[in-house]
Amino acid sequence: LAAGKTVLGTWCEIPSPEFINVLAKGGLDFVIIDMEHGSCDFEQAGKMVMAAQVEGCSPIIRVPTNNESAILRALELGAEGVIVPHVESAEERKRVIDAIKFPPIGIRSLNPYVRAGGYKSTPDFTTQQNKNTLSAILVESLQGIENIEEIIDDAYLDVVYMGSYDISIALGLPGKTKHPKVVKVLEKMTKIITKKKKLAACLFHSSDDLHFFKKIGVKFLCYKVDTAIVFDEIQKVRKLI
């Protein structure tokens, strides 16, 4: 991402280290462990983080809410980034960054004797964490869309994920993520995000979707969800029988 390259990942709803290891081995750059919609708890998330990292894949955790404790626990598991849902204001974004970053940037509490710290105290741990931890938010409501310029105006924010399904609901078009009104909003948001020198992120389902998002400047690309990847493949085979 720092080099301007496009990265590929997926969402993980299935609370399984083995399954996430398969996805990582397949060549994904990142996986997002979903603790908002999935059934994953912190114990499972910790194992999933390790299962991704052994294959050189970056694990990111979507925490359930904009909660300092949840963000801290996710990062101490060794996750390489956190994505926080339903951010609608600059104040809420500040809470995200405060929880992700150690002082003097934020207020993250220090315990080096966890997996993120290598189970030992080192003088540059906080500096390295502040430098290398990915900070991401989800903007997915009408209020968030309206406030997007001020929401993303933060030097320590890296990725702005456009929640196309919740955006479709907000526009009165539930699930119709390819509706012209939804597409127009995504195009406008991407333009604002990239102008502010942040990385735009979104979900895609097909080669046509991929072409569209790459064309408008989305660099952080999520291919479906793990459950959908499996389900869709089974459906393809089912139709052949």
Side-chain angles (χ1 to χ4, degrees), residues 69-216:
S69 176
I71 293 170
L72 174 65
R73 293 183 71 187
L75 292 175
E76 289 187 343
L77 292 175
E80 294 172 29
V82 166
I83 181 166
V84 179
H86 306 294
V87 176
E88 297 185 327
S89 67
E91 181 183 354
E92 290 180 1
R93 179 260 301 145
K94 185 179 184 303
R95 280 168 44 204
V96 172
I97 301 301
D98 279 349
I100 292 174
K101 301 297 183 182
F102 285 109
I105 299 168
I107 59 171
R108 179 177 165 185
S109 176
L110 174 60
N111 175 7
Y113 305 107
V114 292
R115 186 165 183 273
Y119 313 110
K120 62 184 183 299
S121 181
T122 53
D124 65 342
F125 171 58
T126 59
T127 301
Q128 290 301 313
Q129 283 280 290
N130 280 350
K131 178 182 177 182
N132 296 326
T133 302
L134 189 80
S135 304
I137 60 171
L138 266 151
V139 177
E140 47 197 336
S141 68
L142 288 181
Q143 186 176 345
I145 295 166
E146 291 170 3
N147 296 335
I148 189 166
E149 291 204 47
E150 61 183 66
I151 289 173
I152 68 175
D153 189 19
D154 190 305
Y156 300 105
L157 177 66
D158 301 309
V159 173
V160 183
Y161 192 103
M162 302 176 291
S164 53
Y165 278 100
D166 277 337
I167 288 171
S168 73
I169 290 177
L171 295 174
L173 301 160
K176 298 178 180 178
T177 57
K178 295 184 182 181
H179 190 282
K181 288 184 179 179
V182 177
V183 171
K184 186 177 180 180
V185 168
L186 295 176
E187 288 177 322
K188 184 178 180 181
M189 290 176 71
T190 302
K191 187 175 181 179
I192 293 169
I193 293 164
T194 53
K195 185 178 179 180
K196 288 279 190 179
K197 298 187 179 354
K198 308 301 174 189
L199 295 156
C202 206
L203 182 77
F204 75 97
H205 295 84
S206 66
S207 57
D208 288 342
D209 290 349
L210 177 60
H211 177 74
F212 166 72
F213 284 121
K214 289 183 71 175
K215 183 179 178 181
I216 66 173

Side-chain angles (χ1 to χ4, degrees), residues 3 21 37-39 47 50 61 127 158 163 176 178 183 223 240-241:
N21 185 258
H37 290 294
S39 61
K47 295 174 183 176
M50 289 187 278
I61 293 179
T127 301
D158 301 309
K176 298 178 180 178
K178 295 184 182 181
V183 171
Y223 177 57
L240 299 174
I241 304 301

Side-chain angles (χ1 to χ4, degrees), residues 1-7 30 60 134 158-159 199-200 219-221:
L1 288 171
K5 296 181 180 180
T6 298
V7 294
F30 68 89
I60 299 165
L134 189 80
D158 301 309
V159 173
L199 295 156
K219 300 280 189 181
F220 191 97
L221 291 159

